[in-house]
Amino acid sequence: MVDAITTEIIRHAMLAAADEIARNLCRTAYNTVVYEIHDYGIGLHDENGDVVADTPGVAVFTRGNDIGVKNAIKFLGKESMEPGDVFIINFPYWSSAHALDPLVFAPIHVGERLIGFSTCRVHVTDLNQKDPGYVLDSTHLSQEGLMMPATKLYRRGERNEDVFNIIKFNSRRPRHTIGDIQSQVSAVVTGVRRMKELADKYGADTVVDAMKAINEHGERLSRLALEKLPKGTWSTVDYIDEDGVDVGKLIKLKCTVTITDEEMIIDWTGSANDVKGPLNVPPGLTEAAACLIFKSITTPDSPVVAGNFAPLRVITEEGSVMHAVPPMSTFTMWTGILCGETILKALAQAMPETIPASSGGDVCAFIGLGDNPRTGEPWQDGSNEAVGYGATSTQDGEDGIMHISEPGCRNTPIEVFEMRTPLFLEHYGYRQDSSGAGQYRGGVGISRAYRYTAPGVGIMLSYKTQTRPWGIRGGLEGVPNAVILNPGTENEKWQGPSYNHLEAGEVLVNATGGGGGYGDPLKRDFDAISADVRNEFLTPEAVERDYKVIIDKDGVIDHEATAELRDSYKSQKA
């Protein structure tokens, strides 16, 4: 039995160690997606694989790491995990992510006793998947790159050259890929070192007991929060653009949420089950996305621990888009990123005062690649983009921040792109008139334009362009995401997810969605409307259309003309 004070000291030491793991990773990674965007998931876990401490990155990765370690334990057995071993796993149905998000983990031993695991997942750039950069149209696992089912990178501290050579000869970018994997190794070894220091200081039994106490406390907090939530069942449906194979066919996500005194059940029965392309997600990723939403409405102010999710149950249909099984394609794992807001859409029926309206709804990722004429070397870089957040019952949605699935992530700065690649960033700023109107408006999205100064590839991962961000209680929908090729020219083309081969001079615009509004737009404060026009979030034309307010470009309202417009509008509505 460990006392509360010692438990808290160990808990904070583990959180500090998780932060150190992230710093070590970012200082040694080769890939801007890791060290600029923070596309990673890091955790320290108990001997069963349950997370006890993490650091923010891609939120769905951390719980996915739990599931990946648990599946590795089932596959290998704990007895085969020795001191000094480091493993890699990217078999998607086990690791809970796609092939380019390998999970590297190391068992933590005190002597020969296993007390936990140190984990790190990142996005690497190439494992010989069928297309360079990203795959948008695979139909079978065999097209998605090298698969490693819980394989030893290091055996009792010695590098396994056979495995590294296999990786080297199965990557178009071996130096970067192996460099990033080695940065993961360095990161998890840091976690092992810090946990062993804790065990040396307090004793292995005390550390193990503290980890158990931390998770038990996390469960108690969640159950206390669950008691305060409304009880009942609510269902909704939402859609993703397409799977890259059946082009133009929307993919249905059906979510039913039930809250009882004992648990929250998130049931995906009725979601699409005939998806040919790579938007199918492993069940571990589906569970991880549900954990993110459950955490956000129960215990958002405390760090993630596995105990938080004890009152949560997720139901899926095997073989559906929410529960991929071999050899279903899973490469474009966007369903697992987008489905969180489908859960919120169902919960908004029960808790409209608590749940925000929809955000822009996507991470709107860009990946560019080609040959750099300045260096004569191949290049590949990318960025996720911010969206507008949905309004709430008390305030406007935030303007241009990262999607809920990646709260610890950032975008790639203009300077990094222009220094490392033959891209010229023509503009980058807020997307005017993209917010959903309401008493509280949604946040506005972002627009960033990439001009290619040399031939190359531009990949856009934006899967919410055909459906609009929903509002709450009379709030209007936001403007959806858009991908615009060569805007303002005779070759202008509006796209969704796309793999573009571009010539020098061509422009690709990533325009992200605005959040949905909350409440009747006619109840919005006039001063707030004036400020939005002055700050160029809204144009006078959009204000007249959505708020029935006559205003000039300087934010000055014509109150007499506004009263006449609103009287006319109310008469027509009646």
Side-chain angles (χ1 to χ4, degrees), residues 171-452:
S171 176
R172 299 175 183 88
R173 310 183 82 224
R175 185 172 71 89
H176 291 81
T177 300
I178 290 176
D180 286 335
I181 291 172
Q182 281 285 41
S183 75
Q184 290 178 268
V185 172
S186 176
V188 299
V189 168
T190 298
V192 171
R193 186 184 308 120
R194 294 295 175 251
M195 289 298 293
K196 291 177 72 172
E197 289 171 357
L198 277 176
D200 289 343
K201 184 172 183 178
Y202 295 101
D205 288 340
T206 299
V207 172
V208 168
D209 288 346
M211 288 192 285
K212 181 180 178 182
I214 290 165
N215 268 322
E216 288 174 346
H217 178 67
E219 179 177 349
R220 287 194 298 272
L221 290 177
S222 287
R223 293 197 181 280
L224 287 171
L226 186 68
E227 291 177 3
K228 301 174 184 177
L229 298 181
K231 307 303 184 286
T233 298
W234 307 272
S235 293
T236 195
V237 172
D238 205 350
Y239 295 91
I240 299 174
D241 283 4
E242 61 178 64
D243 68 354
V245 177
D246 286 330
V247 177
K249 179 183 177 181
L250 295 177
I251 297 171
K252 177 183 177 182
L253 303 183
K254 182 179 180 182
C255 181
T256 300
V257 180
T258 299
I259 302 177
T260 71
D261 291 333
E262 299 298 324
E263 63 180 351
M264 177 184 289
I265 305 165
I266 298 176
D267 185 354
W268 294 100
T269 301
S271 296
N273 60 7
D274 58 348
V275 177
K276 299 173 186 175
L279 282 177
N280 304 291
V281 291
L285 181 53
T286 302
E287 181 177 337
C291 289
L292 166 62
I293 302 304
F294 182 78
K295 175 73 175 173
S296 72
I297 64 173
T298 53
T299 55
D301 297 324
S302 62
V304 170
V305 297
N308 291 148
F309 311 115
L312 174 65
R313 181 156 58 98
V314 180
I315 298 172
T316 56
E317 294 178 294
E318 191 171 299
S320 73
V321 69
M322 305 305 292
H323 187 138
V325 295
M328 292 172 66
S329 56
T330 64
F331 197 96
T332 311
M333 60 175 193
W334 247 241
T335 307
I337 294 170
L338 307 185
C339 69
E341 288 199 270
T342 309
I343 303 171
L344 289 176
K345 188 177 180 182
L347 286 169
Q349 300 170 56
M351 298 181 283
E353 301 298 328
T354 303
I355 302 298
S358 175
S359 77
D362 203 339
V363 301
C364 301
F366 162 80
I367 300 170
L369 57 98
D371 293 319
N372 192 335
R374 295 201 304 264
T375 65
E377 297 288 331
W379 67 275
Q380 180 176 325
D381 270 294
S383 182
N384 296 350
E385 207 55 82
V387 293
Y389 264 42
T392 72
S393 60
T394 59
Q395 64 182 38
D396 294 345
E398 294 292 337
D399 301 305
I401 59 174
M402 304 307 278
H403 187 252
I404 189 174
S405 63
E406 48 175 10
C409 293
R410 312 179 304 190
N411 58 17
T412 301
I414 291 172
E415 294 84 356
V416 171
F417 273 123
E418 295 188 343
M419 178 180 70
R420 291 171 53 94
T421 77
L423 294 174
F424 176 73
L425 279 294
E426 287 201 334
H427 74 245
Y428 182 35
Y430 287 125
R431 187 183 180 194
Q432 197 173 34
D433 292 341
S434 59
S435 61
Q439 180 179 0
Y440 299 102
R441 67 163 175 84
V444 296
I446 293 292
S447 180
R448 177 144 47 167
Y450 301 87
R451 177 176 291 276
Y452 279 65

Side-chain angles (χ1 to χ4, degrees), residues 482-535:
V483 177
I484 311 164
L485 179 61
N486 296 320
T489 72
E490 61 181 14
N491 297 318
E492 178 176 303
K493 182 180 179 182
W494 287 59
Q495 305 176 325
S498 53
Y499 197 107
N500 300 283
H501 294 273
L502 304 175
E503 297 299 327
E506 292 199 272
V507 176
L508 195 59
V509 176
N510 187 3
T512 73
Y518 189 104
D520 184 353
L522 269 60
K523 294 181 179 180
R524 185 162 179 78
D525 181 75
F526 281 179
D527 288 342
I529 293 173
S530 293
D532 285 339
V533 172
R534 289 196 303 273
N535 290 325

Side-chain angles (χ1 to χ4, degrees), residues 67-141:
I67 295 164
V69 171
K70 289 175 183 288
N71 283 324
I73 291 171
K74 289 179 185 177
F75 179 57
L76 297 172
K78 290 181 181 179
E79 65 280 0
S80 67
M81 298 178 176
E82 302 177 287
D85 286 352
V86 180
F87 296 84
I88 186 169
I89 177 173
N90 76 331
F91 187 57
Y93 320 100
W94 293 356
S95 73
S96 305
H98 71 168
L100 290 191
D101 289 337
L103 170 63
V104 171
F105 68 93
I108 302 167
H109 288 85
V110 176
E112 294 296 317
R113 178 185 178 185
L114 177 67
I115 67 166
F117 295 89
S118 175
T119 68
C120 177
R121 187 192 304 272
V122 308
H123 178 84
V124 300
T125 56
D126 197 281
L127 285 170
N128 213 26
Q129 67 282 358
K130 79 178 191 72
D131 299 317
Y134 219 84
V135 177
L136 276 63
D137 60 355
S138 54
T139 57
H140 192 280
L141 176 67

Side-chain angles (χ1 to χ4, degrees), residues 533-568:
V533 172
R534 289 196 303 273
N535 290 325
E536 298 184 357
F537 290 137
L538 297 175
T539 61
E541 294 77 16
V543 169
E544 180 177 351
R545 180 190 68 228
D546 295 336
Y547 293 96
K548 312 307 175 194
V549 170
I550 304 300
I551 192 170
D552 66 18
K553 61 182 178 61
D554 296 319
V556 178
I557 294 174
D558 185 331
H559 290 277
E560 184 176 341
T562 295
E564 291 177 1
L565 176 61
R566 290 190 166 195
D567 287 343
S568 173

